[in-house]
Amino acid sequence: MQQPIYREISLRPQTAQFFIDELPLLLLCPVGLVYGGMENAPLASIATLFAVLLSLILIYRLIYLKRIRYHIGSEQLTAEHGVYQRSIGYIELYRVVDFHEQQSLLQQIFGLMTVTVLSMDRTTPKLELTGLPKRINIVDIIRERVEFNKQRKGIYEITNH
């Protein structure tokens, strides 16, 4: 039997996911700036300070989202994240047991989804791949690689139904 050759797939969350996640804060920030710019408005300087601090938090969250990387290799699924301190989580594909795909209303509008990968891994039993394009069938790609790795290692799932 010929062994399939899997190339590594690298994915990043789409920028639209930032707007989906941060919509309330994105709306609140300009309101604070406008209110802070009004003459004779009570607490105008506090509103301006609050809006500026909120803007800095939003910039950090955007940078954090843009630095996330998901890699689907032939034997492992990895997730890199972090700005100041990078962290990489590894899941051996033969340990993956289930998937869950979900879309919020805004994700449906923007054509995005979140895929949750459940595994028997002790350190990473649950990994959420968020902001992925719906047009890419990630679950099928991972499932194919999971099944191949389970067969290669001789691992069989026993269920009690």
Side-chain angles (χ1 to χ4, degrees), residues 105-142:
L105 177 62
L106 287 174
Q107 281 181 321
Q108 291 176 44
I109 291 169
F110 286 101
L112 302 177
M113 67 179 170
T114 298
V115 174
T116 304
V117 178
L118 302 171
S119 74
M120 297 304 291
D121 191 271
R122 288 187 193 121
T123 58
T124 314
K126 178 178 169 181
L127 177 63
E128 286 192 1
L129 312 174
T130 186
L132 300 179
K134 179 72 174 154
R135 69 182 184 283
I136 302 173
N137 198 347
I138 299 300
V139 172
D140 283 348
I141 292 169
I142 297 172

Side-chain angles (χ1 to χ4, degrees), residues 52-126:
V52 169
L53 290 174
L54 192 59
S55 297
L56 293 173
I57 290 169
L58 287 170
I59 289 168
Y60 174 79
R61 289 183 178 177
L62 177 62
I63 293 169
Y64 188 91
L65 181 80
K66 296 306 288 177
R67 302 244 321 144
I68 294 174
R69 302 282 186 273
Y70 306 118
H71 303 284
I72 306 166
S74 59
E75 295 182 14
Q76 289 181 332
L77 174 61
T78 61
E80 299 178 36
H81 58 89
V83 176
Y84 300 115
Q85 181 178 350
R86 297 288 287 169
S87 178
I88 303 174
Y90 298 89
I91 294 179
E92 294 292 331
L93 288 174
Y94 73 89
R95 293 180 184 248
V96 172
V97 293
D98 205 4
F99 306 93
H100 179 74
E101 192 176 301
Q102 67 183 33
Q103 286 184 292
S104 67
L105 177 62
L106 287 174
Q107 281 181 321
Q108 291 176 44
I109 291 169
F110 286 101
L112 302 177
M113 67 179 170
T114 298
V115 174
T116 304
V117 178
L118 302 171
S119 74
M120 297 304 291
D121 191 271
R122 288 187 193 121
T123 58
T124 314
K126 178 178 169 181

Side-chain angles (χ1 to χ4, degrees), residues 1 5 15 27-28 38 50 59 76 79 90-91 106 129 135 148:
M1 181 173 123
I5 298 172
T15 306
L27 295 174
L28 189 59
M38 294 178 153
F50 180 73
I59 289 168
Q76 289 181 332
Y90 298 89
I91 294 179
L106 287 174
L129 312 174
R135 69 182 184 283
F148 172 75

